[in-house]
Amino acid sequence: MPELPEVEVTCQALKAVLEGFSITEIQLNRPDLRYPLPPNLENEICLYSIQSVQRRAKYLLIDFEHGKTLIWHLGMSGRVIVETPEIPFLKASPHDHVIFRTSNNHKITYRDPRRFGFIQLTPTSQLASVNPFNTLGPEPLNNPELNVLIFHNRMKKHTKPIKNALLDQKIIAGIGNIYASEALWQARISPLRAANSLTQPESALLLKELQDVLKRAIAAGGSTLRDYVRPNGEVGYFQYIFKVYDRENKLCEHCEVTNLSKIIQCGRATYYCKICQK
Ligand SMILES: [Zn+2]
């Protein structure tokens, strides 16, 4: 499932090919993804200049000059493929649902086998008031409005386990299952403790490790970004070496004596070290 780093790398790749340009043609190969695709999408956005491409939590936001924003979520299995005139176009897949052609001769394909992704259109001025943007917590990265005290106070309001609190997009936005486990392991904090049991120094450490793991994962995608025109054209997917995620019964690299455990919290797998994480 694309998490924040994958969406950020996709965002940066789309920024490079869309900002200052426009979409000239849209091919919709089906009427819906998770939700129906916006009616008259071609008339609504084609030929209007794109002012910015941004990420908020795990959403891509494409702002057009005429005050419309395209909201794009990659769901469980969505991938963006950017093709340029210099490389041969890919063999089409039955999962290529939306294809954009741009004024700078790029072809951007949205491929999503499970179709949990979606594309919606909203007036830019109303974005902050529509679901989920009206309830999203603060961005974890590059956000001057998020400091340790704010993060600590948000966590202190909840009795649920810390891991579940990190996944609650209303408390902090964009943290997914993989990076929640990774950050808690890095901070040596148990995913089972109540969120309101964090001391302020622990909150400071957890926020630092969350930001660290997200930044390192984004950096791992940097090579993909430089290469977004690589032969398969896919962006946003890259090899990041997880320390705990999907490593049940593998040796913990902190203590080097304990094997990592897997538990289920709120229906999601959590990986952690019973010894190191207090
Ligand atoms: Zn350990």
Side-chain angles (χ1 to χ4, degrees), residues 7 51 108 127 206 210 266:
V7 180
Q51 291 188 319
I108 297 168
L127 185 68
L206 180 54
L210 270 173
C266 267

Side-chain angles (χ1 to χ4, degrees), residues 252 255 273 276:
C252 167
C255 61
C273 176
C276 296

Side-chain angles (χ1 to χ4, degrees), residues 185 252-258 260 273-277:
W185 178 79
C252 167
E253 290 184 22
H254 278 160
C255 61
E256 297 185 323
V257 292
T258 315
L260 297 167
C273 176
K274 283 180 181 170
I275 300 299
C276 296
Q277 292 178 247

